[in-house]
Amino acid sequence: MSNYSAGAAFRKAMQEESPLQVVGAINANHALLAKRAGFKAIYLSGGGVAAGSLGLPDLGISNLDDVLTDVRRITDVCDLPLLVDVDTGFGSSAFNVARTVKSMIKFGAAAMHIEDQVGAKRCGHRPNKEIVTKQEMVDRIKAAVDARTDENFVIMARTDALAVEGLEAAIDRAQACVEAGADMIFPEAITELAMYKQFANAVKVPILANITEFGATPLYTVEELAAVDVGLVLYPLSAFRAMNKAAENVYTAIRRDGSQKNVVDTMQTRMELYERINYHDFEQKLDALFAQQKNK
């Protein structure tokens, strides 16, 4: 049995790059593209699973199996450590959280973040979020930490309390989560750069900055975030948004023009696709197999 630990690989990536850029990969193909671009870690968004795989809004509708399907597909072909959004843990009890943690490790994820919203959750950058009590969130973290079958697997606590209860309460929650065993903190929907520094000073563990487009957080640069001691910078759905817009433009053009000729120059070529997924390596193995059969 292999002693490889995806969690250890994630922690190593953080040592090698600070802050660590973590880019969202909506599917296995995008994971390979992210690796080709030079990223050292990738991310699977819960909102991305809901919208991309199910065509549904990010309102707590997707379940553990939906997420695990995409996790397995990504980890089967890409060895970059994968951070996974597990929403509120996919269930109301410590048993549900434990099952989620064990499943993530079994399916090859390196890290996960779990949040303090209620089960009927919302996107972190939408209004009218509801959060559970601090004690319930602490219990979620304790359940997650206790369930680890790999001590290097990263448990990250996300808090949405800033928009609900204010900065001081959000920092207080983050500190309680660290005391409960959280390895890292994800303060969601930060509105001012200096807030990250306040979180970092208070919790003394790596802080993740979610730099998502069209949300509450300005699009800070890596340099700006490094200056306030951010440890990880997340771009959860950047490529997904671009992919969706490109697909919509192609569909519109084909329907309007009766041909794809006017948008071919915006497409990945056949040879580019083959190169990105190592098509020719597979084909050569197939050719060799057929040659062996013919020579028998």
Side-chain angles (χ1 to χ4, degrees), residues 1-9 149-152:
M1 179 179 290
S2 173
N3 291 322
Y4 173 77
S5 167
T149 54
D150 175 2
E151 64 181 8
N152 287 309

Side-chain angles (χ1 to χ4, degrees), residues 99-110:
R99 178 171 180 253
T100 294
V101 171
K102 292 176 181 177
S103 296
M104 287 295 149
I105 295 171
K106 184 176 181 180
F107 280 64

Side-chain angles (χ1 to χ4, degrees), residues 105-154:
I105 295 171
K106 184 176 181 180
F107 280 64
M112 65 172 232
H113 66 74
I114 185 169
E115 66 200 50
D116 57 1
Q117 286 198 52
V118 298
K121 58 150 291 174
R122 299 171 187 251
C123 167
H125 292 255
R126 295 294 298 161
N128 303 319
K129 294 184 290 186
E130 296 285 344
I131 57 177
V132 299
T133 65
K134 182 174 71 173
Q135 185 58 53
E136 185 170 342
M137 180 55 179
V138 164
D139 289 342
R140 288 177 183 177
I141 298 301
K142 287 181 177 177
V145 171
D146 289 346
R148 274 194 290 214
T149 54
D150 175 2
E151 64 181 8
N152 287 309
F153 182 75
V154 173

Side-chain angles (χ1 to χ4, degrees), residues 161-162 165-175 198-199:
L162 175 64
E165 297 181 344
L167 179 61
E168 186 176 337
I171 291 175
D172 182 55
R173 279 177 176 249
Q175 289 175 313
Q198 291 175 267
F199 271 96

